[in-house]
Amino acid sequence: MSLALNDLLICCRQLEHDRATERRKEVEKFKRLIQDPETVQHLDQHSDSKQGKYLNWDAVFRVLQKYIQKETECLRTAKPNVSTSTQATRQKKMQEISSLVKYFIKCANKRAPRLKCQELLNYIMDTVKDSSNGAIYGADCSNILLKDILSVRKYWCEISQQQWTELFSVYFQLYLKPSQDINRVLVARIIEAVTKGCCSQTDGLNSEFLDFFSKAIQHARQEKSSAGLNHILAAFIIFLKTLAVNFRIRVCELGDEILPTLLYIWTQHRLNDSLKEVIIELFQLQIYIHHPKGAKTQEKGAYESRKWKSILYNVYDLLVNEISHIGSRGKYSSASRNIAVKENLIELMADICHQVFNEDNRSLEISQSYTTTQREFSDYNAPCKKRKIELGWEVIKDHLQKSQNDFDIVPWLQIATQLISKYPSSLPNCELSPLLMILHQLLPQQRHGERTPYVLRCLMEVALCQGKKSNLESSQKSDLLKLWIKIWSITFRGISSEQIQAENFGLLGAIIQGSLVEVDREFWKLFTGSACRPSCPAVCCLTLALTMCVVPETVKTGMEKNIYDVNRNFSLKELIMKWLLFRQLEDDFEDSAELPPILHRNFPHLSLEKILVSLTMKNCKAAMNFFQSVPECEQHQKDTEEPSFSEVEELFLQTTFDKMDFLTIVKEHTTEKHQSSVGFSVHQNLKQSLDRYLLGLSEQLLNNYSSETSNSETLVRCSSLLVGVLGCYCYVGVIAEEEAYKSELFQKAKSLMQYAGESITLFKNKTNEESRIVSLRNMIHLCTRCLHNCTKHSPSKIASGFFLRLLTSKLMNDIADICTSLVFIIKKPFDFGEVESVEDCTDENLMEMEDQSSMNLFNDYPASSVIDANESGESQITIGAMNPLAEEHLSKQDLLFLDMLKFLCMCVTTAQTNTVSFRAADIRRKLLMLIDSSMLDLTKSLHLHMYLVLLKDLPGEEYPLPMEDVVDLLKPLSNVCSLYRRDQDVCKTILNHVLHIVTNLCQGNMDAENTRDAQGQFLTVIEAFWHLTKEGKCTFSVRMALVKCLKALLEADPYSKWAILNVMGKDFPVNETISAYEKRRSFHIIESTSFEASASSV
């Protein structure tokens, strides 16, 4: 033993001395020794090595606990009746003792969390449960729990379900305990953290714990104190989301019980904004669960009860008053305030209006039971306060008319917009004209544009809603047409205002889409003159116009004749092309120093290209409709995914009740039959003009290029535009793909990308410049958008093939080299809290199994490979218990690296079916070298991200990898699963990412050594997860992901020739396992729901 450790050992023995004076002498020495670098180094090494015969941090902590017990016992047995100064001295002594514990934990865990979680939890729970320890000990222990345990991912993953439950129970009892000494806000924060941890790391709390929340909310009503209530409600929301899937009725009943109390608290207490936000979120959640997807009746999927109906009316009344108060505060505030109400309140109000608005009832008398006293509240026979409320669209119309103040009008414009947008059927035919008339009156009343955007958005939703109505009477249509003509005229005149240009174009597009007004020649002038620049809203509006209308040959210029004199020989189609490409009508665009707007901003994928190509066709409308009929690929739909709870709503509808009628309407519009391209003919003069303009645009960029000043993003945008136009021409059959490759447009695109590649080369030596990082990341995003990995024939796929051929071998290798340098750059690491425990837990040691092949996977790693000895203690608080895959762990360089990695994966994947200028196999080998065992450190967040990206994107769904590459890709899989086996979020992500690998496992010679090796590696991981699910150590989401893997295996190997799980010496063919699950299904529901049913029984 070293001298340093020997000194510490002697000090520890003195701390256990029976005499208080001897113990007191050693405290300062103890604090000094646990900070001594040599002592710390030895303690770290011994803690990591798990050699019990040496002194380590856990052993020192046990000594410290004995010291605290002795000191506490001395204070407890001291004379109770003493002077005030003596009592103060004793309080100070307790604070010193408690501070010593916090100080020790900070020292021990400063570089990495080396103290055992179990030891820490036992100490904290024993201290908190012992009422004789006083408020000081309890508060300090609670702080330790919150900041030093629950905020560390390693500890977060080690806490068992029983421990989560015990923590929840103990701290909820503390919260409900009426004592002045308890810091309720701190306790409430712990309850929220514990609930979050329990619901993410286990299958959640038992439903019987719902009573705790009910008591806490009643307590807040009785005490008239909302201290910590926002954290309690946040925990309640987390709990309900996990519970709702299996206990919907129980959750609904609890909502019926608790919400009246929250209504009382809202109206009778003075709440801060943060608490109101949480209450609104809880109300919204209850709406989703009671009325999934807006269902209004039990037959359609709603949960109905008299009490809930009463609550809805009371919440409606409450929100009407709240919105009025918000408006009043805005009107009389001296400071500048936003006239809009927050979206969450608007969404809740719209959902409630959808439920309570009824054409039969314009007013209703409601019982406000929540306004009664506590004694009356417990007496259900006590009389309730009555109040008459107004309902229906009359309420919205009245609020839009009764005041001229924006603070009064705008919230109701927001509500009407959201209500019509989400529930178009909620606007009756009879209300169309009155509402439209009011909105028309509001439109010209502009006050510096503050109100106008909200009026325009509401009008847009009304236009879209009317376009869907097919049962309007002819007289009503005539009245509406007159109003729409007036609105069209006002909107058209306001298009030059940049502040509201997006809303103006949105409204014009909605009117065109619904065929509400006949488009005149004046409309087309918007896309030929200087009234506005090309923008996303303008392009979307133009797309709709070209889809719905026939483009005139010319337009009368009238007052603007002088502007068009120089272009009198151009057709309208050509003028629109010039406006889109240059926003100028002169012929000297090549000499212009200013770049056109289309090179400075991003537009929807291929939207410009489809417009330009359609304009060159003789039948422009048919061509545009042909392009619009192409279904959007999944790759470009990822940004519009629904929030996760939407899946639960679908589950409620599909497992119990009929499908909603209004949900199927959307699907009918999105599943149009694809038309044939036969019959399209091009106007050769217009095509030549477009080619000339595009060549001029590219020449402008090439002639003005400078490696130091030119923006690589504009080069990529222009190159993408050129190949996009070629792709659209090929799709309609105007030119062949081989002809496109030889075209001058393609050669210009190639030159542009070569120049763009120079920015990559320059970056190799300047990887720390933030401006270059941002610019390069934007460029990589643009390049990735140009690639298309779906197999369906489409303009996107053709353009993707063209763009792929622009990528030179030098460009690809430069990006791969940058990836290598970025991922292995030496940075200050801060991911220690993300990884598996270094201790040998007996309950997780699977070495005792007969078959070690899959079980060795889950042995603990040596501590030295898990943590970095130079970790910073401050990072614990920064990281907390965040998911290791959270973006907050990554720097800007890390994000650039991951973007480049995804781009390279997509390139080498799609290159398998395209002719390219680089060796895809070489790039793929470089990518696989990134996960070489000698360099890969899966304890680092970036390396974990990197491996998961490769695992998901490198195989591709449609393009199989060579089997030797599959073997290399799977090599780290067992290690990463072992390292993160307790982290349920990471486990779920891993299982979801390996799905694409499955299709690669059944290719080529099934008897080849590489194939058997790859299959064995994959099955080893699945076997290990299967075993953990059997032992109840995986959450529902992980079990569901596992079942998806089993289903993928079944599809790849239907007869289970090789897809056989071997657990504990027994074989389980995958086809038999899945068949057993299928027999248990009770409902005819969607496939994802069958996953849930299967996963629950794993």
Side-chain angles (χ1 to χ4, degrees):
M1 181 182 293
S2 69
L3 290 175
L5 276 189
N6 189 60
D7 288 344
L8 180 60
L9 182 59
I10 294 171
C11 182
C12 287
R13 287 171 180 167
Q14 289 297 105
L15 285 176
E16 294 178 312
H17 204 283
D18 290 336
R19 293 175 61 183
T21 52
E22 294 296 326
R23 295 195 301 268
R24 197 174 302 119
K25 290 178 185 177
E26 297 298 320
V27 171
E28 289 303 318
K29 183 180 179 182
F30 177 79
K31 292 167 70 174
R32 178 175 54 80
L33 285 171
I34 60 175
Q35 269 200 311
D36 175 67
E38 185 182 352
T39 308
V40 167
Q41 183 180 0
H42 285 299
L43 288 172
D44 285 350
Q45 289 174 352
H46 295 165
S47 295
D48 294 345
S49 65
K50 301 299 173 189
Q51 295 183 14
K53 60 182 179 179
Y54 294 120
L55 189 65
N56 58 25
W57 286 110
D58 288 320
V60 177
F61 185 48
R62 285 191 289 270
V63 171
L64 183 60
Q65 290 181 68
K66 292 178 182 178
Y67 163 75
I68 293 167
Q69 289 171 2
K70 286 181 180 291
E71 293 295 332
T72 304
E73 189 63 29
C74 286
L75 292 171
R76 188 180 296 139
T77 56
K79 294 179 181 179
N81 300 322
V82 292
S83 64
T84 306
S85 61
T86 305
Q87 288 180 352
T89 303
R90 290 177 180 174
Q91 289 287 320
K92 184 179 179 182
K93 178 65 176 175
M94 293 181 71
Q95 287 177 343
E96 290 174 355
I97 295 170
S98 190
S99 297
L100 181 60
V101 178
K102 290 196 291 183
Y103 181 76
F104 173 78
I105 293 172
K106 294 286 184 186
C107 290
N109 287 348
K110 188 175 184 180
R111 295 148 307 283
R114 287 186 165 88
L115 290 171
K116 287 184 180 178
C117 179
Q118 189 64 49
E119 293 275 355
L120 287 171
L121 278 181
N122 289 341
Y123 168 73
I124 287 168
M125 295 300 286
D126 292 341
T127 305
V128 172
K129 286 179 182 179
D130 189 348
S131 59
S132 63
N133 282 328
I136 295 174
Y137 283 0
D140 282 343
C141 279
S142 296
N143 271 305
I144 291 170
L145 176 65
L146 186 64
K147 296 178 181 178
D148 298 304
I149 298 178
L150 296 180
S151 62
V152 178
R153 191 74 181 188
K154 172 180 176 288
Y155 292 154
W156 181 275
C157 296
E158 290 177 5
I159 300 174
S160 66
Q161 181 163 10
Q162 182 180 351
Q163 289 169 329
W164 284 119
T165 303
E166 187 180 5
L167 283 168
F168 182 87
S169 180
V170 167
Y171 274 92
F172 233 123
Q173 287 171 8
L174 277 177
Y175 184 81
L176 297 173
K177 184 179 179 182
S179 172
Q180 297 296 323
D181 297 331
I182 294 175
N183 182 344
R184 276 206 172 86
V185 175
L186 174 61
V187 173
R189 288 176 65 195
I190 291 172
I191 290 170
E192 181 182 359
V194 168
T195 306
K196 183 178 180 182
C198 186
C199 292
S200 65
Q201 282 297 114
T202 73
D203 278 334
L205 296 161
N206 195 294
S207 60
E208 64 190 34
F209 284 107
L210 287 171
D211 293 337
F212 277 115
F213 291 104
S214 182
K215 290 176 183 176
I217 295 169
Q218 291 295 342
H219 180 273
R221 175 190 171 114
Q222 295 167 10
E223 297 276 314
K224 295 187 177 180
S225 170
S226 57
L229 186 59
N230 56 331
H231 295 290
I232 295 295
L233 293 180
F236 188 39
I237 290 167
I238 294 168
F239 190 13
L240 290 184
K241 285 181 178 179
T242 60
L243 208 64
V245 177
N246 296 317
F247 299 93
R248 181 190 176 195
I249 294 177
R250 177 76 179 94
V251 170
C252 288
E253 290 173 346
L254 189 68
D256 296 355
E257 175 190 336
I258 284 177
L259 294 191
T261 309
L262 289 177
L263 286 169
Y264 176 87
I265 292 172
W266 185 304
T267 55
Q268 304 301 315
H269 299 180
R270 297 190 63 176
L271 305 184
N272 56 39
D273 289 342
S274 63
L275 181 52
K276 285 186 176 181
E277 291 278 329
V278 181
I279 293 176
I280 288 171
E281 187 181 354
L282 180 56
F283 282 158
Q284 186 71 75
L285 181 62
Q286 284 290 332
I287 289 283
Y288 290 153
I289 298 171
H290 278 80
H291 304 281
K293 299 292 184 181
K296 297 184 76 169
T297 64
Q298 191 168 341
E299 291 75 22
K300 294 296 184 181
Y303 176 86
E304 293 185 304
S305 69
R306 281 186 59 191
K307 193 170 185 180
W308 172 249
K309 205 70 176 175
S310 173
I311 291 170
L312 275 179
Y313 288 123
N314 278 289
V315 174
Y316 166 79
D317 185 40
L318 173 77
L319 294 183
V320 169
N321 293 328
E322 179 68 17
I323 290 168
S324 298
H325 290 320
I326 292 172
S328 299
R329 289 199 298 270
K331 280 188 291 185
Y332 301 114
S333 172
S334 58
S336 175
R337 291 177 67 96
N338 192 342
I339 61 173
V341 175
K342 288 186 177 180
E343 285 300 320
N344 59 347
L345 182 59
I346 296 301
E347 185 177 356
L348 175 61
M349 186 62 176
D351 287 338
I352 291 176
C353 287
H354 173 62
Q355 297 300 326
V356 302
F357 280 11
N358 192 321
E359 292 184 54
D360 300 328
N361 292 328
R362 298 299 175 90
S363 64
L364 188 71
E365 189 175 69
I366 62 171
S367 301
Q368 294 181 300
S369 58
Y370 62 87
T371 60
T372 60
T373 65
Q374 183 59 32
R375 181 177 297 177
E376 292 170 337
F377 184 78
S378 59
D379 181 9
Y380 293 103
N381 295 320
C384 298
K385 187 176 179 181
K386 301 285 186 178
R387 174 179 166 82
K388 187 177 182 181
I389 60 171
E390 302 298 323
L391 297 169
W393 279 92
E394 289 295 329
V395 176
I396 294 178
K397 291 186 295 183
D398 288 346
H399 279 93
L400 293 177
Q401 295 178 94
K402 70 180 183 182
S403 171
Q404 291 300 308
N405 192 285
D406 287 348
F407 287 101
D408 292 325
I409 294 175
V410 167
W412 289 96
L413 285 170
Q414 290 177 275
I415 292 167
T417 304
Q418 177 72 12
L419 181 57
I420 299 170
S421 172
K422 195 170 183 179
Y423 307 107
S425 61
S426 65
L427 182 62
N429 292 356
C430 61
E431 295 291 355
L432 266 173
S433 293
L435 179 61
L436 199 58
M437 194 174 298
I438 293 169
L439 294 173
H440 167 248
Q441 292 167 356
L442 291 173
L443 193 55
Q445 300 172 11
Q446 298 185 18
R447 295 185 178 182
H448 310 292
E450 286 188 356
R451 178 195 304 173
T452 308
Y454 300 96
V455 179
L456 291 169
R457 288 173 200 150
C458 191
L459 281 166
M460 184 182 76
E461 294 302 336
V462 173
L464 293 172
C465 178
Q466 183 182 329
K468 298 173 184 176
K469 293 182 180 291
S470 57
N471 57 347
L472 294 174
E473 297 179 2
S474 56
S475 59
Q476 191 177 9
K477 286 182 180 179
S478 176
D479 294 338
L480 289 168
L481 176 61
K482 294 174 184 177
L483 287 170
W484 282 120
I485 290 173
K486 294 177 182 178
I487 292 168
W488 175 276
S489 177
I490 297 171
T491 307
F492 187 83
R493 290 198 304 268
I495 207 76
S496 59
S497 175
E498 289 189 8
Q499 291 88 347
I500 55 173
Q501 197 173 90
E503 288 80 8
N504 276 319
F505 272 120
L507 176 55
L508 292 179
I511 293 173
I512 293 169
Q513 187 175 344
S515 302
L516 307 182
V517 169
E518 186 176 346
V519 176
D520 55 13
R521 289 176 178 267
E522 291 296 311
F523 168 76
W524 299 102
K525 288 184 181 180
L526 293 176
F527 310 105
T528 59
S530 58
C532 60
R533 288 171 170 267
S535 62
C536 284
V539 166
C540 290
C541 181
L542 179 58
T543 299
L544 286 167
L546 293 174
T547 306
M548 303 295 295
C549 313
V550 176
V551 183
E553 287 299 318
T554 58
V555 289
K556 294 181 181 179
T557 56
M559 296 291 290
E560 298 180 349
K561 186 175 180 180
N562 58 326
I563 299 176
Y564 288 88
D565 277 345
V566 72
N567 300 286
R568 58 185 176 272
N569 295 325
F570 293 121
S571 68
L572 175 58
K573 290 180 180 179
E574 191 166 353
L575 290 175
I576 294 173
M577 285 192 294
K578 292 186 71 174
W579 175 82
L580 278 172
L581 293 173
F582 309 107
R583 204 218 162 204
Q584 57 190 48
L585 301 177
E586 298 80 10
D587 282 328
D588 60 348
F589 51 81
E590 291 183 31
D591 301 324
S592 174
E594 181 185 358
L595 291 175
I598 61 165
L599 297 182
H600 289 295
R601 60 187 68 176
N602 296 327
F603 291 86
H605 186 61
L606 287 186
S607 58
L608 283 172
E609 293 85 342
K610 291 174 181 177
I611 290 173
L612 291 170
V613 170
S614 296
L615 288 170
T616 64
M617 296 294 164
K618 291 181 179 179
N619 191 339
C620 176
K621 180 181 176 182
M624 199 67 212
N625 275 286
F626 177 65
F627 283 129
Q628 294 302 99
S629 68
V630 180
E632 190 177 10
C633 71
E634 293 180 6
Q635 175 192 343
H636 295 103
Q637 289 177 334
K638 288 178 182 177
D639 295 336
T640 58
E641 289 181 356
E642 293 181 320
S644 59
F645 201 80
S646 179
E647 297 175 4
V648 180
E649 293 181 81
E650 285 282 356
L651 180 64
F652 292 155
L653 292 174
Q654 295 174 356
T655 56
T656 313
F657 307 102
D658 294 334
K659 189 78 173 176
M660 296 294 290
D661 293 335
F662 65 82
L663 289 175
T664 57
I665 294 174
V666 179
K667 293 184 179 180
E668 287 172 6
H669 287 289
T670 57
T671 54
E672 296 180 10
K673 291 184 179 179
H674 187 53
Q675 305 169 18
S676 170
S677 63
V678 177
F680 286 114
S681 56
V682 69
H683 196 298
Q684 287 298 332
N685 289 339
L686 288 176
K687 182 181 181 299
Q688 291 170 6
S689 295
L690 177 59
D691 289 351
R692 187 174 72 254
Y693 296 150
L694 291 172
L695 290 172
L697 191 65
S698 57
E699 283 291 341
Q700 181 186 0
L701 282 176
L702 294 171
N703 292 338
N704 296 324
Y705 173 75
S706 166
S707 60
E708 292 297 326
T709 59
S710 293
N711 189 332
S712 59
E713 297 169 48
T714 59
L715 297 170
V716 174
R717 284 194 187 96
C718 189
S719 180
S720 170
L721 178 66
L722 299 184
V723 296
V725 167
L726 289 173
C728 289
Y729 272 133
C730 289
Y731 189 68
V732 294
V734 171
I735 59 175
E737 290 189 29
E738 287 305 317
E739 184 183 347
Y741 286 125
K742 298 174 184 177
S743 68
E744 196 173 353
L745 286 180
F746 185 79
Q747 299 308 315
K748 292 294 183 186
K750 207 169 185 178
S751 299
L752 289 166
M753 282 305 297
Q754 286 176 346
Y755 281 153
E758 290 186 16
S759 65
I760 301 284
T761 305
L762 289 172
F763 181 78
K764 289 176 72 174
N765 300 319
K766 300 179 180 180
T767 56
N768 290 321
E769 291 186 18
E770 185 171 334
S771 59
R772 287 186 182 271
I773 291 173
V774 173
S775 176
L776 192 54
R777 195 177 176 207
N778 290 336
M779 174 188 163
I780 295 296
H781 281 165
L782 289 170
C783 291
T784 306
R785 286 181 68 230
C786 295
L787 297 176
H788 184 95
N789 59 4
C790 297
T791 55
K792 294 179 182 177
H793 186 62
S794 67
S796 295
K797 181 170 175 58
I798 300 172
S800 172
F802 291 156
F803 188 83
L804 204 59
R805 194 175 283 199
L806 302 178
L807 304 176
T808 64
S809 179
K810 184 179 186 322
L811 172 70
M812 297 296 288
N813 281 287
D814 281 348
I815 295 176
D817 292 342
I818 291 174
C819 283
T820 303
S821 64
L822 285 177
V823 76
F824 297 120
I825 194 170
I826 299 174
K827 295 178 292 183
K828 178 182 178 181
F830 59 109
D831 354 58
F832 65 82
E834 309 161 348
V835 298
E836 170 57 315
S837 169
V838 296
E839 68 193 65
D840 245 345
C841 295
T842 54
D843 62 325
E844 302 252 7
N845 190 354
L846 307 179
M847 291 291 290
E848 299 174 5
M849 305 301 165
E850 293 178 23
D851 179 20
Q852 302 296 321
S853 60
S854 64
M855 297 306 111
N856 288 338
L857 164 63
F858 287 132
N859 284 341
D860 286 312
Y861 263 50
S864 58
S865 69
V866 176
I867 45 184
D868 190 313
N870 297 317
E871 297 285 9
S872 167
E874 287 78 9
S875 60
Q876 289 185 33
I877 298 173
T878 305
I879 295 176
M882 283 192 299
N883 188 327
L885 298 172
E887 195 172 293
E888 288 81 355
H889 292 295
L890 304 173
S891 66
K892 291 181 179 179
Q893 287 177 321
D894 295 339
L895 294 171
L896 171 62
F897 162 74
L898 292 174
D899 288 336
M900 285 182 159
L901 192 66
K902 292 172 185 175
F903 170 69
L904 291 176
C905 286
M906 184 169 284
C907 288
V908 299
T909 300
T910 52
Q912 296 184 57
T913 55
N914 289 275
T915 303
V916 293
S917 304
F918 58 91
R919 289 178 60 86
D922 291 348
I923 301 300
R924 190 165 58 243
R925 294 308 305 167
K926 284 190 174 185
L927 294 180
L928 290 171
M929 285 174 64
L930 295 174
I931 56 174
D932 183 81
S933 59
S934 62
M935 305 176 74
L936 185 65
D937 183 1
L938 290 167
T939 67
K940 298 184 184 302
S941 181
L942 177 60
H943 287 214
L944 176 62
H945 272 279
M946 173 182 70
Y947 181 62
L948 290 176
V949 168
L950 292 174
L951 199 61
K952 180 183 178 183
D953 295 339
L954 197 55
E957 294 184 71
E958 307 291 342
Y959 310 102
L961 280 176
M963 191 54 71
E964 59 270 20
D965 290 345
V966 175
V967 173
D968 289 341
L969 186 59
L970 287 175
K971 280 180 181 176
L973 185 59
S974 294
N975 294 341
V976 72
C977 291
S978 176
L979 203 57
Y980 292 93
R981 71 175 183 272
R982 291 180 183 167
D983 197 313
Q984 301 298 301
D985 293 327
V986 177
C987 287
K988 177 184 68 175
T989 306
I990 291 170
L991 288 171
N992 285 330
H993 278 44
V994 297
L995 286 174
H996 295 171
I997 284 284
V998 178
T999 54
N1000 287 258
L1001 298 177
C1002 53
Q1003 56 167 314
N1005 184 2
M1006 299 300 290
D1007 295 324
E1009 184 179 351
N1010 279 338
T1011 304
R1012 293 197 305 271
D1013 190 9
Q1015 291 171 350
Q1017 289 185 60
F1018 184 81
L1019 290 174
T1020 296
V1021 171
I1022 300 300
E1023 288 164 3
F1025 274 112
W1026 173 268
H1027 179 80
L1028 288 182
T1029 59
K1030 287 294 186 182
E1031 291 198 341
K1033 293 177 181 176
C1034 291
T1035 60
F1036 170 78
S1037 59
V1038 175
R1039 296 197 302 271
M1040 189 172 79
L1042 177 60
V1043 171
K1044 288 181 181 178
C1045 288
L1046 293 174
K1047 281 185 170 286
L1049 279 171
L1050 181 63
E1051 291 172 4
D1053 184 19
Y1055 301 104
S1056 290
K1057 294 180 180 178
W1058 56 269
I1060 301 171
L1061 306 182
N1062 187 287
V1063 183
M1064 297 177 64
K1066 295 182 180 179
D1067 289 343
F1068 297 90
V1070 169
N1071 58 357
E1072 295 179 12
T1073 305
I1074 295 294
S1075 299
Y1077 292 152
E1078 294 296 321
K1079 293 177 182 178
R1080 299 181 187 180
R1081 282 196 287 175
S1082 304
F1083 303 101
H1084 180 63
I1085 53 180
I1086 56 173
E1087 190 176 74
S1088 63
T1089 309
S1090 73
F1091 289 159
E1092 294 170 0
S1094 303
S1096 298
S1097 60
V1098 172

